[in-house]
Amino acid sequence: MDNTNLHYNIAEQGKVFATQGNHKEALRHYKEALRMSQQIPQADIFFQHYSQCAMESLEQMKSYLEVITFCDKCIAFMESKEDLQAHPVFMKYLASLWERKGIQYLYLNDKEEAITAFEKAIAIQKPSKIPLAQELHNWCKRGYTISHQQIEGLNKKHHYYIVRKDTINSKIAIELPEMINPL
């Protein structure tokens, strides 16, 4: 078996666990996939994807402050990559981090921080390319009360979550042995 893309197989198993609601196991798999992918070509792309998967699981576990911290670390890391800042995929990911951070602040009922984060996301991407941040920003600026249920509804409407049953290749998923625990 070729182990070159083993990180991908492990991440796919993480997604399987996430869609089953087992986010702790999903996180264990994402973290190992992140660790394994750091020394390969295009590590930045894998970092972006696996970190988004991990943040989704943390969000589902209602670990909003942890997601904010994760976003801050990813933003700092991505902003240090000056050579990538002209690349549209990079900018889309950077905007998505600010959007995710804003959503966490909304879950924590901190509209001022949410507005700041959404404004950063919108400054990076045109509003039409980041409609969820734009819509939530507008709601915040108008002083609307925003429930968790409304946030979830908009998240689904705008395909905020990347880990969905229709995006998983479960046929290649590989479960980690219990002894491997990067947590």
Side-chain angles (χ1 to χ4, degrees):
M1 178 180 179
D2 178 19
N3 290 338
T4 308
N5 293 319
L6 186 58
H7 60 91
Y8 180 71
N9 305 96
I10 291 167
E12 287 302 294
Q13 183 62 46
K15 294 176 188 179
V16 170
F17 283 124
T19 59
Q20 296 169 347
N22 188 348
H23 295 288
K24 184 176 180 183
E25 232 358 81
L27 283 169
R28 186 170 76 93
H29 283 72
Y30 297 148
K31 287 181 180 181
E32 182 62 16
L34 273 164
R35 187 195 66 73
M36 292 174 76
S37 68
Q38 292 308 299
Q39 302 305 316
I40 61 170
Q42 292 91 30
D44 289 339
I45 297 297
F46 292 110
F47 171 81
Q48 290 174 28
H49 183 68
Y50 299 159
S51 66
Q52 284 179 309
C53 294
M55 285 186 273
E56 282 186 18
S57 280
L58 288 168
E59 187 173 316
Q60 293 299 315
M61 296 169 69
K62 301 185 181 348
S63 299
Y64 308 128
L65 290 174
E66 198 170 343
V67 176
I68 290 168
T69 300
F70 203 148
C71 285
D72 286 339
K73 288 178 181 178
C74 289
I75 289 167
F77 176 74
M78 297 308 284
E79 287 179 344
S80 74
K81 301 274 187 180
E82 290 181 23
D83 57 319
L84 296 176
Q85 291 185 12
H87 197 282
V89 172
F90 169 85
M91 297 310 284
K92 181 179 179 182
Y93 177 62
L94 188 58
S96 76
L97 289 167
W98 283 107
E99 176 183 69
R100 185 173 302 279
K101 187 174 175 179
I103 289 169
Q104 305 318 297
Y105 279 120
L106 278 185
Y107 281 131
L108 294 169
N109 203 28
D110 187 341
K111 283 188 185 173
E112 291 306 312
E113 289 292 337
I115 288 170
T116 300
F118 292 142
E119 286 174 349
K120 295 244 184 189
I122 293 164
I124 294 168
Q125 289 285 113
K126 293 178 184 172
S128 63
K129 292 191 175 199
I130 195 153
L132 175 59
Q134 181 64 48
E135 194 164 349
L136 288 169
H137 178 262
N138 288 342
W139 285 13
C140 289
K141 291 296 270 186
R142 290 183 178 133
Y144 293 171
T145 300
I146 306 169
S147 70
H148 285 220
Q149 186 177 16
Q150 289 171 307
I151 298 167
E152 282 300 309
L154 283 178
N155 288 350
K156 287 178 183 157
K157 173 185 169 186
H158 292 289
H159 306 288
Y160 171 71
Y161 297 111
I162 60 169
V163 178
R164 301 182 311 270
K165 287 182 182 179
D166 64 315
T167 65
I168 300 171
N169 185 353
S170 59
K171 291 178 182 168
I172 65 159
I174 296 176
E175 192 168 346
L176 284 173
E178 285 186 36
M179 68 181 121
I180 297 177
N181 192 0
L183 300 176

